[in-house]
Amino acid sequence: MSPKAYQTLINTKDSLNQGWKAEQIKNVNLEDELARLKADTASLGRKLTALSENLTSRASQAKQLASDLAEREERLREVEEILKKREEASNALKNKLQKALLGFEESGLSVDMRDGKVYVSLTDKLLFPSGSIVIDEKGKQALIELAKVLNTQPEINIAVEGHTDDQKVRSLGHIKDNWDLSVLRSTSVVRFLTQEQQIDPARLIATGKGEFTPIDTAGNPEARSMNRRIEVVLSPKLDELYQLIK
């Protein structure tokens, strides 16, 4: 073999070796890239699964929220309907009482509605002699007419509140102060309504508020006269409403 041909073979061998090494490097690079692609694909798969689960969870939460909202709206409608009926019933009761007690208005009796409750206010001069806790005859007649209406309304709760003016109690024996006077007048009315007029005692509450809830704070005789009163507070039972709230 001539030197030239030999050199050509050597050059060819070197060239092939270099090509082989280059291909090996390419293969290594391709394997690394393949590994990276597999890892990226697995990561993307996990993210996709997590997103899918998150979307499913959010869809479930949105469905539950929509259901809760619909339920609350329905309960709100029910509560509003009950309150409307309560207000209508209170207005009807107020009108009935105003008609039944019309003859006593000039003697210091009034009927009005506040905060969904009916208030029947009777001044002390209509019910009691001065400084007394014994109901007089005119007061009894007013309470008899009141009881006639209340006995036809068993669903109404009744609170009897005693009120006084701010003048100190003097020479009333066992009655020590305005607290005593207001409470004892209240219980006198409750006792008359239950014992004489057969209103169910379970419907009544007797309270005394003394001088601390005045109607008029002017301090003159007319204001003090207005403040000395019995208020019969009538309110519909709210059992149905309480059940809805629960």
Side-chain angles (χ1 to χ4, degrees), residues 151-186:
N151 274 323
T152 67
Q153 306 284 328
E155 74 285 357
I156 299 297
N157 289 321
I158 307 162
V160 179
E161 298 178 354
H163 300 265
T164 69
D165 60 23
D166 59 357
Q167 300 297 294
K168 290 184 178 181
V169 170
R170 296 177 182 176
S171 303
L172 292 179
H174 64 287
I175 300 175
K176 297 180 177 61
D177 52 27
N178 283 326
W179 282 118
D180 272 355
L181 182 59
S182 64
V183 171
L184 290 172
R185 284 183 168 181
S186 174

